[in-house]
Amino acid sequence: MNALNRLREKIAPAIFGLVWINVLLIIVHTIFREQGFEIFPVLAAVIVAAAVSVGWVTDRTGPTTRVVTSMAHAATVAILVYTFSGSPLQIDIHMYFFASLAICAAWVDWRALIAYSALVAVHHLLLFVAAPLAVFPGESDFSRVVLHAVVLILQTAVLITLVRAVSLSFSSAENAITLAQEAQRNEKDMSERARSADRQAEEQRRQHEQERQTEAAALEFAVEKLKTALSALSRGDLACRISENFKGDLDGLRSSFNLSVENLEAAIGQVSSITNSVRNGASQISEATQDLSARTERQAASIEETLSSLTLVTEAVRRTSTVADTVGKLVAHTSSSAERSGQIVTTAVDAMGRIETSSREISNIIGVIDEIAFQTNLLALNAGVEAARAGEAGKGFAVVAQEVRELAQRSATAAKEIKQLINASGEHVNSGVTLVGEAGEALRAIAGQVAEMSTHIATIVSGAREQAAGLSEINSAISSIDSNTQRNAAMVEESSAATVALANEATTLEDLLSRFRTATRASGPARHRYAA
């Protein structure tokens, strides 16, 4: 309890100094009293004060110091009462017991009050039996001891209740502050997590953008190379090849093209070698074979391009669906985090409300302390009046009454300062409640926006899945077309086989073959052009 310890640190010098003031009063009164100087009370008071000083040097506000200091107050007041033996002011000095007990209540420690009261009770009972005149002037009566004991017990009970309430209030305030600080730390942690999630999402977006740019560059490179190779192929150059590797799955397209050209070159070579044997039958089916071959080539090229484009589109749609699923999960996580942050803010508001309640309770208790200080001041004033009436014999007690009055005033001042600090804390708590409430409203608004984003992303994911399914169907259709193209190619081969028996068309076939340049033969310019 830092606040309670600070309060004890403030009042500790005054309580400790009052012990030595009591010793000084004992010495002064012993020197100037009518019975003459007596060494025993002075020596006893000095020993008590010295013992308290040793504890003070070790620990100024520790539990042992508080108990020992309170017992030292009771002991020095008892010695002071003893030094007034035979004086009519002896019974008035007993009021100092109650004033000193109220002063020790400033320790806010019920053990110190019980130790004080126990020592006073033992003192009264023992001296009533052993030396009654050392306690009360004139004839002593047990009823006086009982009356003093009842008054002392009542005052001790009231002070213990007050001290207990003050201690509980300080403890409640400390716990509430601890809860508020913990809630603030949790809110900061959640904010850091949200910012980290945003940074991760931004990093993933940049990575996806880089991947998309890389894929676009690879696709552009592949298209440019295919364009150059197809241009050479359209001029009849069957020796053209794509030597540069493509990136990723696009390299399969390069391999397919090179293999197709190699196969075509091999076929042309074989046709050239058997041209003489098909010369007789080639003239009859030349036109049909040419038309079918041209259509087959166009269809095969179209299918290859379509398959390439369709593969890229399918992969892009698949990646889009995956990214959309990931973003949906991140949005759901962000929404959950925003809801937990709202709950934490609500808890913080409740904790600050409890702090405000504790501050009001402490203010009430400080009011009680002000009232006690006022009553103590009034008692000291009455004691000063009585001391003035006593004349020369009451000067020492007048000094004590003045010190008690000043101590009561300092206690009231300290209580006023504490009340001002508590009021300022209450204003800060109200400001904190307002700010936390605004933060809660902002988090709720964020949660609503995140929920709306989640709905839109779910729609995007559904559309991407539908597109992927449609592209799969298209892929199946293209595969069917490719199968038909293969069958057409088979028909071309059958027609070519029929030309074996057609020797009269060998010349025409040789003319066609002369249009193509292979690795083993370079042809001149084409003599006539066929439709593509």
Side-chain angles (χ1 to χ4, degrees):
M1 293 184 288
N2 294 328
L4 183 57
N5 290 333
R6 289 195 294 269
L7 175 63
R8 288 169 176 167
E9 288 287 347
K10 288 183 179 180
I11 57 98
I15 297 177
F16 173 72
L18 187 57
V19 173
W20 282 102
I21 292 175
N22 292 341
V23 174
L24 182 61
L25 291 175
I26 293 170
I27 294 173
V28 172
H29 178 68
T30 304
I31 293 174
F32 292 102
R33 71 175 184 169
E34 296 178 357
Q35 293 87 344
F37 182 77
E38 185 177 357
I39 189 61
F40 169 72
V42 174
L43 184 60
V46 171
I47 292 174
V48 170
V52 172
S53 299
V54 173
W56 169 265
V57 172
T58 304
D59 187 1
R60 293 190 175 186
T61 60
T64 303
T65 302
R66 297 196 293 268
V67 173
V68 172
T69 305
S70 300
M71 295 177 69
H73 272 275
T76 53
V77 173
I79 295 172
L80 186 63
V81 171
Y82 171 76
T83 60
F84 275 87
S85 298
S87 172
L89 294 177
Q90 185 180 16
I91 189 65
D92 296 323
I93 295 299
H94 277 263
M95 296 177 61
Y96 195 16
F97 279 111
F98 304 110
S100 180
L101 178 60
I103 292 170
C104 291
W107 281 126
V108 193
D109 190 346
W110 61 271
R111 291 174 296 226
L113 297 175
I114 291 178
Y116 187 103
S117 302
L119 184 59
V120 173
V122 171
H123 164 263
H124 278 54
L125 291 175
L126 290 178
L127 292 187
F128 173 76
V129 176
L133 295 180
V135 183
F136 298 104
E139 294 183 0
S140 180
D141 187 359
F142 185 71
S143 61
R144 276 186 170 182
V145 178
V146 173
L147 177 61
H148 276 257
V150 170
V151 174
L152 185 66
I153 290 172
L154 289 176
Q155 183 179 0
T156 303
V158 172
L159 291 176
I160 288 175
T161 303
L162 176 62
V163 165
R164 183 64 177 170
V166 171
S167 179
L168 289 176
S169 298
F170 275 106
S171 178
S172 298
E174 290 290 338
N175 292 334
I177 291 173
T178 301
L179 290 175
Q181 292 174 348
E182 184 66 23
Q184 186 178 7
R185 286 194 295 269
N186 291 336
E187 182 181 1
K188 290 181 179 179
D189 291 341
M190 295 303 299
S191 299
E192 287 296 331
R193 292 178 183 176
R195 286 194 290 270
S196 177
D198 292 339
R199 289 193 295 269
Q200 291 178 359
E202 181 64 20
E203 183 64 23
Q204 290 180 355
R205 186 192 65 79
R206 287 197 295 268
Q207 291 178 358
H208 295 160
E209 182 66 21
Q210 291 176 357
E211 291 176 357
R212 187 188 64 79
Q213 293 176 357
T214 302
E215 291 173 356
L219 180 61
E220 183 178 359
F221 177 78
V223 170
E224 184 65 24
K225 291 298 180 180
L226 284 173
K227 179 179 178 182
T228 303
L230 290 174
S231 177
L233 185 62
S234 66
R235 294 192 298 270
D237 186 4
L238 296 179
C240 65
R241 299 290 187 273
I242 301 177
S243 59
E244 293 86 349
N245 293 330
F246 294 169
K247 185 176 181 181
D249 296 337
L250 294 175
D251 195 58
L253 181 62
R254 180 188 67 86
S255 299
S256 298
F257 175 82
N258 289 338
L259 181 60
S260 298
V261 174
E262 288 176 0
N263 293 333
L264 182 60
E265 183 179 12
I268 294 298
Q270 292 175 3
V271 171
S272 178
S273 65
I274 62 174
T275 301
N276 293 327
S277 63
V278 299
R279 188 186 305 272
N280 294 326
S283 59
Q284 297 179 2
I285 60 173
S286 176
E287 184 177 357
T289 303
Q290 292 173 2
D291 292 339
L292 183 57
S293 177
R295 286 197 300 272
T296 302
E297 288 179 359
R298 289 197 301 271
Q299 190 173 7
S302 299
I303 290 173
E304 288 179 356
E305 294 177 358
T306 303
L307 283 175
S308 176
S309 300
L310 183 61
T311 301
L312 294 176
V313 172
T314 302
E315 183 64 22
V317 170
R318 187 179 298 108
R319 286 196 300 272
T320 301
S321 178
T322 303
V323 171
D325 287 334
T326 304
V327 173
K329 293 178 182 178
L330 290 174
V331 169
H333 179 69
T334 304
S335 177
S336 177
S337 299
E339 292 177 358
R340 288 197 299 273
S341 298
Q343 295 174 359
I344 292 172
V345 168
T346 303
T347 304
V349 172
D350 295 338
M352 290 185 178
R354 291 194 294 273
I355 293 173
E356 186 177 7
T357 302
S358 299
S359 298
R360 289 197 296 270
E361 293 177 357
I362 293 173
S363 298
N364 295 333
I365 293 170
I366 290 173
V368 176
I369 293 175
D370 287 336
E371 185 177 354
I372 292 173
F374 175 76
Q375 294 295 334
T376 303
N377 191 17
L378 184 60
L379 289 174
L381 181 61
N382 292 335
V385 173
E386 294 297 329
R389 289 180 181 176
E392 189 65 25
K395 286 184 178 180
F397 190 71
V399 173
V400 175
Q402 180 64 26
E403 291 296 330
V404 172
R405 186 182 305 112
E406 292 179 358
L407 183 59
Q409 290 175 355
R410 286 197 298 271
S411 298
T413 302
K416 183 177 180 181
E417 292 176 355
I418 293 173
K419 187 173 183 180
Q420 291 175 353
L421 292 175
I422 291 173
N423 290 334
S425 298
E427 293 177 359
H428 294 320
V429 168
N430 290 332
S431 177
V433 169
T434 301
L435 293 176
V436 172
E438 293 176 357
E441 292 295 330
L443 288 173
R444 282 191 287 272
I446 292 172
Q449 294 173 359
V450 169
E452 185 176 357
M453 289 171 60
S454 179
T455 302
H456 293 315
I457 289 173
T459 303
I460 293 173
V461 172
S462 178
R465 289 173 179 171
E466 293 177 356
Q467 291 176 4
L471 288 173
S472 297
E473 295 177 358
I474 294 173
N475 197 4
S476 299
I478 295 298
S479 297
S480 177
I481 293 173
D482 184 60
S483 177
N484 292 329
T485 302
Q486 296 298 330
R487 288 195 293 271
N488 291 338
M491 292 175 62
V492 171
E493 291 179 358
E494 292 175 359
S495 299
S496 298
T499 60
V500 174
L502 304 176
N504 59 347
E505 294 201 3
T507 303
T508 304
L509 185 57
E510 289 178 351
D511 186 45
L512 291 175
L513 293 175
S514 66
R515 297 176 180 273
F516 296 96
R517 183 178 64 86
T518 63
T520 58
R521 183 188 63 189
S523 65
R527 286 174 290 178
H528 60 272
R529 184 178 303 275
Y530 290 93

